[in-house]
Each structure stands twice: as structure tokens, then as C-alpha cells.
Amino acid sequence: MAALANSLSLSCFALPSSGAASFGAHSQTARLPMQVSAQAFDGQKKTVVDNNAFKDKTLEGLNSLSMHNAESRTPAASVSAVATEVQTSPLERLKTGYLKFKENYVKDQNLVSSLAEGQAPPYMIIACCDSRVDPCTVLNLPPGEAFVLRNIGNMVPAYSAQSACSSAASAIEYAVLHLKVKHLVVMGHSRCGAVKALMGIEDDGSNRFSEFIEDWVLILKNASKKVKSIHKVAPFAEQCTACEKEVVNASLWNCLSYPFVREKMASGDLTLHGGYYDFVSNAFESWTLDLSCLNDVDKVQ
């Protein structure tokens, strides 16, 4: 895997060793909670049935399964009892979560006052929509610290004057020109479904499975082609891991295609970084884009 990681970087990237990662690689202090349930809030449960028709249909299916399963000796009545006991309702979960947040938030009135006047985050973070890798949770960033864009696969499309409705382009423009962030970070992660989809797409499109997803992830098809070319004999799972990091590099490269990003980098007002969070091993890698890349980028515009 070390060889895989080393081959991922563009020529202008310096990938530090895991022990030198600037965001604290392999840190054990910022664990992402893998499961969230009502048990985290006093462990209380209650029986909730919001829709009797849905409940009856569900129980009918469970009872049918229990009758046809020769291994099962569970009476239908027991199955019904289990099926109707559910966790605290979704809205109660959100309300309880907000009250916990509010309890901590109001303790720092200086923060509240400063945020009421506006925002001046030092970071812009482009991360995946994946529920397991919220960047502010992983990096322990409080409100006002990071301007965050999340999309499928933490991907950045290349600059195009015709992309008037690009969510990524508008967010980057606002962060760089108006918020004047000092650091733009593209953060990838392990077990990324978007990257897995990208790696699995057939060249002829014969295995297309969605209306929108393929069109989006294919903006970085060169990343998957590069990984498949370099790591032909590697298992598919290892290829996906390699591509998860290559997608970060490709997105950073696309960030450089925006003229205002290059200008801010050239003046020293903006630095681009890559990050990779492995939530399975709870490790974080980071690297910084070398300013010498600007000369190469200017040549290909």
C-alpha cells in the first residue's frame, strides 16, 4: 500500500509520511461516532406507531417469513411485539440533539457575538456527503471555523465559463474572493461509494445504474483511468483506495483551473491542501500543494 500511496501524487505534491501529517495523522482524539441512537440520550425507548397501515403491512410480511422459516420457532405474536418497539422518533432525536448543542453553544457568548456580526473562516473544506465523514466532526472545528462544501465524492469540476449553475464553482468563488479563506482543503475518505461507482463504470456505459450519479462522478474519470493504468494487478478494493486519494489530487488540480484561485495562490493569500480520512483505522493524512505547480498549470490553460 505504501507504493500505491506514493504513486498517487501529482509531481507537484509533497506527500508527508503518516507521522508528519499536518492535521495529526493517526490521532486518536477525534473519533467519529459510528452509531447514533436514542440510547446516547439517557437510553430511553418508547413505542411509536405513526402509520397503522405501514405497521400492518410490515407485520404481515414478518409473520409470513416466520411461518415459512423451518428453523424459526418464534410465535407471530412475539415478532409483532418486537416490530412495534422502536427508538425515539426522528424529530425527537433532532430536538434532543439541538438542545445538547445549545447547552454548549450558549456558554461561549464571545463566539456567539462574533458570529452574529459575520463570518471569517480561515478554511474552506470540500468534503463528501457521506454521513460517516462530517469534516467539522472529524477535524473538531467549531462554528465559524470552516466554510464547507459537501457533494458526492468531494469532487471539483474544472473551471468553465459556461458553468453558470455550478454549486462547486460558486462556493469556491465565494470562499476565495469574498470570505478570503486562507486554506482550501479537499478531503477524501475511505470506503467512498462515489469512487467505487467511478471505478466500476464500464467504458461503454453498459452498467449504468442511475439518472445523475454517473454523470457527476465522471467529471473525474481521468483519476480512475490513471489508477487502473498504474495498478492493473491490484485487487479492486486497493484500486478504490488509491483512487480515493487520486480524486483528491484531481480535484485540487481542477481548483487550480479557476483563475481567481491561481491569483490568490500566487500572491500568497491562499494555500491548497489535500486530506484523506480513513474512518476504519481512524487515521488522517494531509499534504500541501507546492507553489511551483502554478507554472505548470499556466502552461496547460
Side-chain angles (χ1 to χ4, degrees):
M1 288 304 297
L4 284 175
N6 289 335
S7 65
L8 290 171
S9 61
L10 299 169
S11 59
C12 52
F13 282 86
L15 287 175
S17 63
S18 58
S22 58
F23 279 73
H26 306 290
S27 170
Q28 299 298 315
T29 60
R31 287 187 176 275
L32 181 68
M34 299 306 293
Q35 294 182 348
V36 178
S37 71
Q39 291 179 344
F41 302 98
D42 303 326
Q44 296 180 353
K45 290 184 179 181
K46 64 179 181 179
T47 299
V48 179
V49 179
D50 293 327
N51 189 317
N52 288 329
F54 178 80
K55 180 197 69 173
D56 292 341
K57 185 175 181 180
T58 301
L59 294 181
E60 179 183 352
L62 289 171
N63 291 339
S64 175
L65 284 174
S66 68
M67 288 186 294
H68 288 84
N69 186 355
E71 299 296 325
S72 175
R73 296 294 183 267
T74 304
S78 297
V79 175
S80 300
V82 172
T84 54
E85 184 182 20
V86 297
Q87 297 280 357
T88 301
S89 71
L91 288 181
E92 281 296 317
R93 165 67 184 88
L94 297 180
K95 179 181 177 181
T96 304
Y98 166 70
L99 291 175
K100 291 285 185 180
F101 165 78
K102 181 179 178 181
E103 180 181 331
N104 294 321
Y105 187 70
V106 297
K107 291 178 181 178
D108 191 346
Q109 285 303 307
N110 290 330
L111 175 63
V112 174
S113 298
S114 65
L115 293 180
E117 297 301 319
Q119 59 172 324
Y123 297 100
M124 177 184 186
I125 299 178
I126 300 174
C128 186
C129 293
D130 195 301
S131 63
R132 300 165 292 184
V133 293
D134 175 70
C136 291
T137 300
V138 173
L139 302 176
N140 195 30
L141 298 173
E145 190 78 6
F147 184 75
V148 179
L149 169 69
R150 300 185 70 177
N151 61 36
I152 298 296
N154 46 265
M155 296 182 177
V156 176
Y159 171 81
S160 170
Q162 285 72 46
S163 298
C165 294
S166 170
S167 171
S170 61
I172 294 170
E173 181 182 41
Y174 185 71
V176 171
L177 295 184
H178 299 280
L179 295 179
K180 299 182 180 355
V181 298
K182 297 297 183 183
H183 304 276
L184 192 160
V185 182
V186 179
M187 175 178 153
H189 69 93
S190 58
R191 309 289 174 89
C192 182
V195 171
K196 184 176 180 181
L198 176 63
M199 290 293 293
I201 293 175
E202 298 291 347
D203 291 337
D204 60 2
S206 59
N207 62 339
R208 188 175 181 87
F209 67 92
S210 75
E211 186 174 357
F212 301 111
I213 296 173
E214 284 98 341
D215 290 340
W216 171 251
V217 299
L218 281 172
I219 64 175
L220 293 186
K221 61 183 178 181
N222 287 340
S224 63
K225 287 183 177 179
K226 178 178 178 180
V227 169
K228 289 177 180 179
S229 174
I230 296 174
H231 308 294
K232 295 178 181 178
V233 298
F236 183 71
E238 291 188 16
Q239 288 183 342
C240 285
T241 297
C243 193
E244 287 160 359
K245 298 179 181 181
E246 188 57 42
V247 159
V248 172
N249 286 340
S251 289
L252 287 170
W253 186 262
N254 282 349
C255 284
L256 283 174
S257 69
Y258 292 81
F260 50 85
V261 170
R262 293 202 306 277
E263 289 173 7
K264 291 294 184 180
M265 284 193 68
S267 65
D269 294 321
L270 179 67
T271 306
L272 300 192
H273 309 273
Y276 180 77
Y277 174 51
D278 186 339
F279 63 82
V280 178
S281 62
N282 196 26
F284 190 91
E285 301 173 52
S286 65
W287 54 96
T288 298
L289 187 66
D290 193 314
L291 280 174
S292 63
C293 275
L294 285 175
N295 294 331
D296 295 330
V297 173
D298 287 337
K299 291 176 183 178
V300 300
Q301 296 306 309

